[in-house]
CSV table of all heavy atoms in Angstrom, one decimal:
chain,number,residue,atom,x,y,z
A,291,ASP,N,2.3,2.6,21.3
A,291,ASP,CA,2.7,4.0,21.1
A,291,ASP,C,3.7,4.5,22.1
A,291,ASP,O,4.0,5.7,22.1
A,291,ASP,CB,1.5,4.8,21.0
A,291,ASP,CG,0.6,4.8,22.2
A,291,ASP,OD1,0.7,3.8,23.0
A,291,ASP,OD2,-0.1,5.8,22.5
A,292,GLN,N,4.1,3.8,23.1
A,292,GLN,CA,5.0,4.2,24.1
A,292,GLN,C,6.4,3.6,23.8
A,292,GLN,O,6.5,2.4,23.5
A,292,GLN,CB,4.5,3.9,25.5
A,292,GLN,CG,3.2,4.5,25.8
A,292,GLN,CD,3.2,6.0,25.7
A,292,GLN,OE1,4.2,6.6,26.3
A,292,GLN,NE2,2.3,6.6,25.1
A,293,GLU,N,7.4,4.4,24.0
A,293,GLU,CA,8.7,4.0,23.7
A,293,GLU,C,9.1,2.7,24.4
A,293,GLU,O,9.8,1.8,23.8
A,293,GLU,CB,9.7,5.1,24.0
A,293,GLU,CG,11.1,4.8,23.5
A,293,GLU,CD,12.0,6.0,23.7
A,293,GLU,OE1,11.5,7.1,23.9
A,293,GLU,OE2,13.3,5.9,23.7
A,294,GLU,N,8.7,2.6,25.6
A,294,GLU,CA,9.1,1.5,26.4
A,294,GLU,C,8.4,0.2,26.0
A,294,GLU,O,8.7,-0.9,26.3
A,294,GLU,CB,8.9,1.7,27.9
A,294,GLU,CG,7.5,2.0,28.3
A,294,GLU,CD,7.1,3.4,28.3
A,294,GLU,OE1,7.8,4.2,27.6
A,294,GLU,OE2,6.2,3.9,29.0
A,295,GLN,N,7.3,0.4,25.2
A,295,GLN,CA,6.5,-0.8,24.8
A,295,GLN,C,7.0,-1.4,23.4
A,295,GLN,O,6.6,-2.4,23.0
A,295,GLN,CB,5.1,-0.4,24.6
A,295,GLN,CG,4.4,0.0,26.0
A,295,GLN,CD,3.0,0.5,25.8
A,295,GLN,OE1,2.7,1.1,24.8
A,295,GLN,NE2,2.2,0.4,26.8
A,296,LEU,N,7.9,-0.6,22.8
A,296,LEU,CA,8.3,-1.1,21.5
A,296,LEU,C,9.0,-2.5,21.5
A,296,LEU,O,8.9,-3.2,20.6
A,296,LEU,CB,9.3,-0.1,20.8
A,296,LEU,CG,8.7,1.3,20.5
A,296,LEU,CD1,9.7,2.2,19.9
A,296,LEU,CD2,7.5,1.2,19.5
A,297,SER,N,9.6,-2.8,22.6
A,297,SER,CA,10.3,-4.1,22.7
A,297,SER,C,9.3,-5.2,22.7
A,297,SER,O,9.7,-6.4,22.4
A,297,SER,CB,11.2,-4.1,24.0
A,297,SER,OG,10.3,-3.9,25.1
A,298,SER,N,8.1,-5.0,23.1
A,298,SER,CA,7.1,-6.0,23.2
A,298,SER,C,6.3,-6.2,21.9
A,298,SER,O,5.4,-7.0,21.8
A,298,SER,CB,6.1,-5.8,24.4
A,298,SER,OG,5.4,-4.6,24.2
A,299,TYR,N,6.6,-5.3,20.9
A,299,TYR,CA,5.8,-5.3,19.7
A,299,TYR,C,5.8,-6.7,19.0
A,299,TYR,O,4.7,-7.2,18.7
A,299,TYR,CB,6.4,-4.3,18.8
A,299,TYR,CG,5.8,-4.3,17.3
A,299,TYR,CD1,4.6,-3.7,17.0
A,299,TYR,CD2,6.6,-4.9,16.3
A,299,TYR,CE1,4.1,-3.8,15.7
A,299,TYR,CE2,6.1,-4.9,15.0
A,299,TYR,CZ,4.9,-4.3,14.7
A,299,TYR,OH,4.4,-4.4,13.5
A,300,GLU,N,6.9,-7.3,18.8
A,300,GLU,CA,7.0,-8.6,18.2
A,300,GLU,C,6.3,-9.7,19.0
A,300,GLU,O,5.7,-10.6,18.4
A,300,GLU,CB,8.5,-8.9,17.9
A,300,GLU,CG,9.2,-8.1,16.9
A,300,GLU,CD,10.6,-8.5,16.6
A,300,GLU,OE1,11.0,-9.4,17.3
A,300,GLU,OE2,11.2,-7.9,15.7
A,301,ASN,N,6.4,-9.6,20.3
A,301,ASN,CA,5.8,-10.5,21.2
A,301,ASN,C,4.3,-10.5,21.0
A,301,ASN,O,3.6,-11.5,21.0
A,301,ASN,CB,6.2,-10.3,22.6
A,301,ASN,CG,7.6,-10.6,22.9
A,301,ASN,OD1,8.2,-11.4,22.2
A,301,ASN,ND2,8.2,-10.0,23.9
A,302,GLN,N,3.7,-9.2,20.9
A,302,GLN,CA,2.3,-9.1,20.8
A,302,GLN,C,1.8,-9.7,19.4
A,302,GLN,O,0.8,-10.3,19.4
A,302,GLN,CB,1.9,-7.6,20.9
A,302,GLN,CG,2.1,-7.0,22.3
A,302,GLN,CD,1.6,-5.6,22.4
A,302,GLN,OE1,0.6,-5.2,21.8
A,302,GLN,NE2,2.4,-4.7,23.0
A,303,VAL,N,2.6,-9.4,18.4
A,303,VAL,CA,2.2,-10.0,17.1
A,303,VAL,C,2.2,-11.5,17.1
A,303,VAL,O,1.3,-12.1,16.6
A,303,VAL,CB,3.2,-9.4,16.0
A,303,VAL,CG1,2.9,-10.2,14.7
A,303,VAL,CG2,3.0,-7.9,15.8
A,304,ARG,N,3.3,-12.1,17.7
A,304,ARG,CA,3.4,-13.5,17.9
A,304,ARG,C,2.3,-14.1,18.7
A,304,ARG,O,1.7,-15.1,18.3
A,304,ARG,CB,4.7,-13.9,18.5
A,304,ARG,CG,5.1,-15.4,18.5
A,304,ARG,CD,6.4,-15.7,19.2
A,304,ARG,NE,7.5,-14.9,18.6
A,304,ARG,CZ,8.1,-13.9,19.2
A,304,ARG,NH1,7.7,-13.6,20.5
A,304,ARG,NH2,9.1,-13.2,18.7
A,305,TYR,N,1.9,-13.4,19.8
A,305,TYR,CA,0.8,-13.9,20.6
A,305,TYR,C,-0.5,-14.1,19.9
A,305,TYR,O,-1.2,-15.1,19.9
A,305,TYR,CB,0.7,-13.0,21.8
A,305,TYR,CG,-0.6,-13.3,22.7
A,305,TYR,CD1,-0.6,-14.3,23.5
A,305,TYR,CD2,-1.7,-12.4,22.5
A,305,TYR,CE1,-1.8,-14.6,24.3
A,305,TYR,CE2,-2.8,-12.6,23.3
A,305,TYR,CZ,-2.9,-13.7,24.1
A,305,TYR,OH,-4.0,-13.9,24.8
A,306,TYR,N,-0.9,-13.0,19.2
A,306,TYR,CA,-2.2,-13.0,18.5
A,306,TYR,C,-2.2,-13.9,17.3
A,306,TYR,O,-3.2,-14.5,17.0
A,306,TYR,CB,-2.6,-11.6,18.2
A,306,TYR,CG,-3.2,-10.8,19.4
A,306,TYR,CD1,-2.4,-9.9,20.0
A,306,TYR,CD2,-4.4,-11.1,19.9
A,306,TYR,CE1,-2.8,-9.2,21.1
A,306,TYR,CE2,-4.9,-10.4,21.0
A,306,TYR,CZ,-4.1,-9.5,21.6
A,306,TYR,OH,-4.6,-8.9,22.7
A,307,THR,N,-1.1,-14.1,16.7
A,307,THR,CA,-1.0,-15.0,15.6
A,307,THR,C,-1.2,-16.4,16.1
A,307,THR,O,-2.0,-17.2,15.5
A,307,THR,CB,0.4,-14.9,14.9
A,307,THR,OG1,0.6,-13.6,14.4
A,307,THR,CG2,0.5,-15.9,13.7
A,308,GLU,N,-0.6,-16.8,17.2
A,308,GLU,CA,-0.8,-18.1,17.8
A,308,GLU,C,-2.3,-18.3,18.3
A,308,GLU,O,-2.8,-19.4,18.1
A,308,GLU,CB,0.2,-18.3,19.0
A,308,GLU,CG,1.6,-18.4,18.5
A,308,GLU,CD,2.6,-18.5,19.7
A,308,GLU,OE1,2.1,-18.4,20.8
A,308,GLU,OE2,3.8,-18.6,19.4
A,309,VAL,N,-2.8,-17.3,19.0
A,309,VAL,CA,-4.2,-17.4,19.5
A,309,VAL,C,-5.2,-17.7,18.4
A,309,VAL,O,-6.1,-18.6,18.5
A,309,VAL,CB,-4.6,-16.1,20.2
A,309,VAL,CG1,-6.2,-16.1,20.4
A,309,VAL,CG2,-3.9,-16.0,21.5
A,310,ILE,N,-5.1,-17.0,17.3
A,310,ILE,CA,-6.0,-17.2,16.1
A,310,ILE,C,-5.8,-18.5,15.4
A,310,ILE,O,-6.7,-19.2,15.1
A,310,ILE,CB,-5.9,-16.0,15.2
A,310,ILE,CG1,-6.4,-14.7,15.9
A,310,ILE,CG2,-6.8,-16.2,13.9
A,310,ILE,CD1,-6.1,-13.5,15.2
A,311,THR,N,-4.5,-18.9,15.1
A,311,THR,CA,-4.2,-20.1,14.4
A,311,THR,C,-4.6,-21.3,15.2
A,311,THR,O,-4.9,-22.4,14.6
A,311,THR,CB,-2.8,-20.1,13.9
A,311,THR,OG1,-1.9,-19.9,15.1
A,311,THR,CG2,-2.5,-19.0,12.9
A,312,ARG,N,-4.5,-21.3,16.5
A,312,ARG,CA,-4.8,-22.4,17.3
A,312,ARG,C,-6.4,-22.7,17.4
A,312,ARG,O,-6.8,-23.8,17.7
A,312,ARG,CB,-4.3,-22.3,18.7
A,312,ARG,CG,-2.8,-22.5,18.8
A,312,ARG,CD,-2.4,-22.9,20.3
A,312,ARG,NE,-2.8,-21.9,21.2
A,312,ARG,CZ,-2.1,-20.9,21.7
A,312,ARG,NH1,-0.8,-20.7,21.2
A,312,ARG,NH2,-2.5,-20.0,22.5
A,313,ASN,N,-7.2,-21.7,17.2
A,313,ASN,CA,-8.6,-21.8,17.3
A,313,ASN,C,-9.2,-22.3,16.0
A,313,ASN,O,-9.1,-21.5,15.0
A,313,ASN,CB,-9.2,-20.5,17.8
A,313,ASN,CG,-10.7,-20.6,18.2
A,313,ASN,OD1,-11.4,-21.4,17.7
A,313,ASN,ND2,-11.1,-19.8,19.2
A,314,PRO,N,-9.8,-23.4,16.0
A,314,PRO,CA,-10.3,-24.0,14.7
A,314,PRO,C,-11.5,-23.1,14.1
A,314,PRO,O,-11.8,-23.2,13.0
A,314,PRO,CB,-10.8,-25.4,15.1
A,314,PRO,CG,-11.0,-25.3,16.5
A,314,PRO,CD,-10.0,-24.4,17.1
A,315,GLU,N,-12.1,-22.3,15.0
A,315,GLU,CA,-13.2,-21.5,14.6
A,315,GLU,C,-12.8,-20.2,13.9
A,315,GLU,O,-13.6,-19.5,13.3
A,315,GLU,CB,-14.2,-21.2,15.7
A,315,GLU,CG,-14.8,-22.4,16.3
A,315,GLU,CD,-15.8,-22.0,17.5
A,315,GLU,OE1,-15.9,-20.8,17.7
A,315,GLU,OE2,-16.4,-22.9,18.1
A,316,TYR,N,-11.5,-19.9,14.0
A,316,TYR,CA,-10.9,-18.7,13.5
A,316,TYR,C,-10.1,-19.0,12.2
A,316,TYR,O,-9.5,-20.0,12.1
A,316,TYR,CB,-10.0,-18.0,14.5
A,316,TYR,CG,-10.7,-17.4,15.7
A,316,TYR,CD1,-10.0,-17.1,16.9
A,316,TYR,CD2,-12.1,-17.1,15.7
A,316,TYR,CE1,-10.6,-16.6,18.0
A,316,TYR,CE2,-12.7,-16.6,16.8
A,316,TYR,CZ,-12.0,-16.4,18.0
A,316,TYR,OH,-12.6,-15.8,19.1
A,317,GLU,N,-10.2,-18.0,11.3
A,317,GLU,CA,-9.3,-18.1,10.2
A,317,GLU,C,-8.6,-16.7,10.1
A,317,GLU,O,-9.2,-15.7,10.0
A,317,GLU,CB,-10.1,-18.3,8.9
A,317,GLU,CG,-9.2,-18.3,7.6
A,317,GLU,CD,-10.0,-18.5,6.3
A,317,GLU,OE1,-11.2,-18.8,6.4
A,317,GLU,OE2,-9.4,-18.3,5.2
A,318,LEU,N,-7.3,-16.8,10.2
A,318,LEU,CA,-6.5,-15.5,10.2
A,318,LEU,C,-6.5,-14.8,8.9
A,318,LEU,O,-6.0,-15.4,7.9
A,318,LEU,CB,-5.0,-15.8,10.7
A,318,LEU,CG,-4.1,-14.6,10.7
A,318,LEU,CD1,-4.5,-13.6,11.8
A,318,LEU,CD2,-2.7,-15.1,11.0
A,319,VAL,N,-7.0,-13.6,8.9
A,319,VAL,CA,-7.0,-12.8,7.7
A,319,VAL,C,-5.6,-12.0,7.6
A,319,VAL,O,-4.9,-12.1,6.6
A,319,VAL,CB,-8.1,-11.8,7.7
A,319,VAL,CG1,-8.0,-10.8,6.4
A,319,VAL,CG2,-9.5,-12.5,7.7
A,320,ASP,N,-5.3,-11.4,8.7
A,320,ASP,CA,-4.0,-10.6,8.7
A,320,ASP,C,-3.8,-10.1,10.1
A,320,ASP,O,-4.7,-10.1,10.9
A,320,ASP,CB,-4.0,-9.5,7.7
A,320,ASP,CG,-2.6,-9.1,7.2
A,320,ASP,OD1,-1.6,-9.5,7.9
A,320,ASP,OD2,-2.5,-8.3,6.3
A,321,ILE,N,-2.6,-9.7,10.4
A,321,ILE,CA,-2.2,-9.0,11.6
A,321,ILE,C,-2.0,-7.5,11.2
A,321,ILE,O,-1.2,-7.2,10.4
A,321,ILE,CB,-0.9,-9.5,12.2
A,321,ILE,CG1,-1.1,-11.0,12.7
A,321,ILE,CG2,-0.5,-8.6,13.4
A,321,ILE,CD1,-2.0,-11.2,13.9
A,322,TYR,N,-2.8,-6.7,11.9
A,322,TYR,CA,-2.7,-5.2,11.6
A,322,TYR,C,-2.1,-4.5,12.8
A,322,TYR,O,-2.7,-4.5,13.9
A,322,TYR,CB,-4.1,-4.7,11.3
A,322,TYR,CG,-4.9,-5.3,10.2
A,322,TYR,CD1,-5.6,-6.5,10.5
A,322,TYR,CD2,-4.8,-4.9,8.9
A,322,TYR,CE1,-6.3,-7.1,9.5
A,322,TYR,CE2,-5.5,-5.5,7.9
A,322,TYR,CZ,-6.3,-6.6,8.2
A,322,TYR,OH,-7.0,-7.3,7.2
A,323,ALA,N,-0.9,-4.1,12.6
A,323,ALA,CA,-0.1,-3.5,13.7
A,323,ALA,C,0.6,-2.2,13.3
A,323,ALA,O,1.4,-2.3,12.3
A,323,ALA,CB,0.9,-4.5,14.2
A,324,ASP,N,0.4,-1.1,14.0
A,324,ASP,CA,1.1,0.1,13.7
A,324,ASP,C,2.1,0.3,14.9
A,324,ASP,O,1.7,0.7,16.0
A,324,ASP,CB,0.1,1.3,13.7
A,324,ASP,CG,-0.8,1.3,12.4
A,324,ASP,OD1,-0.2,1.3,11.3
A,324,ASP,OD2,-2.0,1.2,12.6
A,325,GLU,N,3.3,0.1,14.6
A,325,GLU,CA,4.3,0.2,15.6
A,325,GLU,C,4.7,1.6,15.9
A,325,GLU,O,5.1,2.4,15.1
A,325,GLU,CB,5.6,-0.6,15.1
A,325,GLU,CG,6.7,-0.6,16.2
A,325,GLU,CD,7.9,-1.4,15.7
A,325,GLU,OE1,7.9,-1.8,14.5
A,325,GLU,OE2,8.8,-1.6,16.5
A,326,GLY,N,4.6,2.0,17.2
A,326,GLY,CA,5.1,3.2,17.7
A,326,GLY,C,4.3,4.4,17.2
A,326,GLY,O,4.7,5.6,17.3
A,327,ILE,N,3.0,4.2,16.8
A,327,ILE,CA,2.1,5.3,16.4
A,327,ILE,C,1.1,5.5,17.4
A,327,ILE,O,0.4,4.6,17.9
A,327,ILE,CB,1.5,4.9,15.0
A,327,ILE,CG1,2.5,4.6,14.0
A,327,ILE,CG2,0.6,6.1,14.5
A,327,ILE,CD1,3.4,5.6,13.6
A,328,SER,N,0.8,6.8,17.7
A,328,SER,CA,-0.2,7.2,18.7
A,328,SER,C,-1.6,6.8,18.2
A,328,SER,O,-1.9,6.9,17.0
A,328,SER,CB,-0.1,8.7,19.0
A,328,SER,OG,-1.2,9.1,19.8
A,329,GLY,N,-2.4,6.4,19.2
A,329,GLY,CA,-3.8,6.1,18.9
A,329,GLY,C,-4.8,7.2,19.0
A,329,GLY,O,-6.0,7.0,19.0
A,330,THR,N,-4.3,8.4,19.3
A,330,THR,CA,-5.2,9.6,19.5
A,330,THR,C,-5.9,9.9,18.2
A,330,THR,O,-7.0,10.6,18.2
A,330,THR,CB,-4.4,10.8,20.0
A,330,THR,OG1,-3.3,11.0,19.2
A,330,THR,CG2,-4.0,10.5,21.4
A,331,ASN,N,-5.4,9.6,17.0
A,331,ASN,CA,-6.1,9.8,15.8
A,331,ASN,C,-5.7,8.7,14.8
A,331,ASN,O,-4.7,8.1,15.0
A,331,ASN,CB,-5.9,11.2,15.2
A,331,ASN,CG,-4.5,11.5,14.8
A,331,ASN,OD1,-4.0,11.0,13.9
A,331,ASN,ND2,-3.9,12.5,15.5
A,332,THR,N,-6.4,8.6,13.7
A,332,THR,CA,-6.1,7.5,12.7
A,332,THR,C,-5.4,7.9,11.5
A,332,THR,O,-5.2,7.1,10.6
A,332,THR,CB,-7.5,6.8,12.4
A,332,THR,OG1,-8.3,7.8,11.8
A,332,THR,CG2,-8.1,6.3,13.7
A,333,LYS,N,-5.1,9.2,11.3
A,333,LYS,CA,-4.6,9.7,10.1
A,333,LYS,C,-3.3,9.0,9.6
A,333,LYS,O,-3.1,8.7,8.5
A,333,LYS,CB,-4.3,11.2,10.2
A,333,LYS,CG,-5.6,12.1,10.3
A,333,LYS,CD,-5.3,13.5,10.3
A,333,LYS,CE,-6.6,14.4,10.4
A,333,LYS,NZ,-6.3,15.8,10.5
A,334,LYS,N,-2.4,8.8,10.6
A,334,LYS,CA,-1.1,8.2,10.2
A,334,LYS,C,-1.0,6.7,10.6
A,334,LYS,O,0.1,6.1,10.5
A,334,LYS,CB,0.0,9.0,10.9
A,334,LYS,CG,0.1,10.4,10.4
A,334,LYS,CD,1.3,11.1,11.1
A,334,LYS,CE,1.4,12.6,10.7
A,334,LYS,NZ,2.5,13.3,11.3
A,335,ARG,N,-2.1,6.1,10.9
A,335,ARG,CA,-2.1,4.7,11.3
A,335,ARG,C,-2.5,3.8,10.0
A,335,ARG,O,-3.6,3.5,9.8
A,335,ARG,CB,-3.1,4.4,12.4
A,335,ARG,CG,-2.8,5.2,13.7
A,335,ARG,CD,-3.8,5.0,14.8
A,335,ARG,NE,-3.8,3.6,15.2
A,335,ARG,CZ,-4.8,3.1,16.0
A,335,ARG,NH1,-5.8,3.8,16.4
A,335,ARG,NH2,-4.7,1.8,16.4
A,336,ASP,N,-1.5,3.6,9.3
A,336,ASP,CA,-1.7,2.9,8.0
A,336,ASP,C,-2.3,1.5,8.1
A,336,ASP,O,-3.2,1.2,7.3
A,336,ASP,CB,-0.3,2.8,7.2
A,336,ASP,CG,0.3,4.2,6.8
A,336,ASP,OD1,-0.5,5.1,6.7
A,336,ASP,OD2,1.5,4.3,6.6
């Protein structure tokens, strides 16, 4: 949700995708990511 963090958005998605897919005990359902949206409430966090 911070402007300066937007550049790391794709990196974060890539990181968690790799963490889950490498662990044989995990099965990836989906990546849920709201880019640039404040976490103070959930109304606009699709």
Side-chain angles (χ1 to χ4, degrees):
D291 62 336
Q292 299 302 311
E293 187 174 344
E294 63 267 25
Q295 295 172 333
L296 294 180
S297 60
S298 65
Y299 171 78
E300 293 183 355
N301 292 334
Q302 292 183 44
V303 171
R304 189 182 305 108
Y305 168 77
Y306 283 102
T307 302
E308 292 176 355
V309 167
I310 295 170
T311 54
R312 285 201 305 263
N313 193 324
E315 297 182 2
Y316 292 159
E317 181 181 348
L318 179 63
V319 176
D320 206 344
I321 297 290
Y322 303 87
D324 291 300
E325 183 180 5
I327 306 293
S328 172
T330 52
N331 64 68
T332 61
K333 291 182 180 180
K334 297 182 179 181
R335 299 177 66 190
D336 295 337

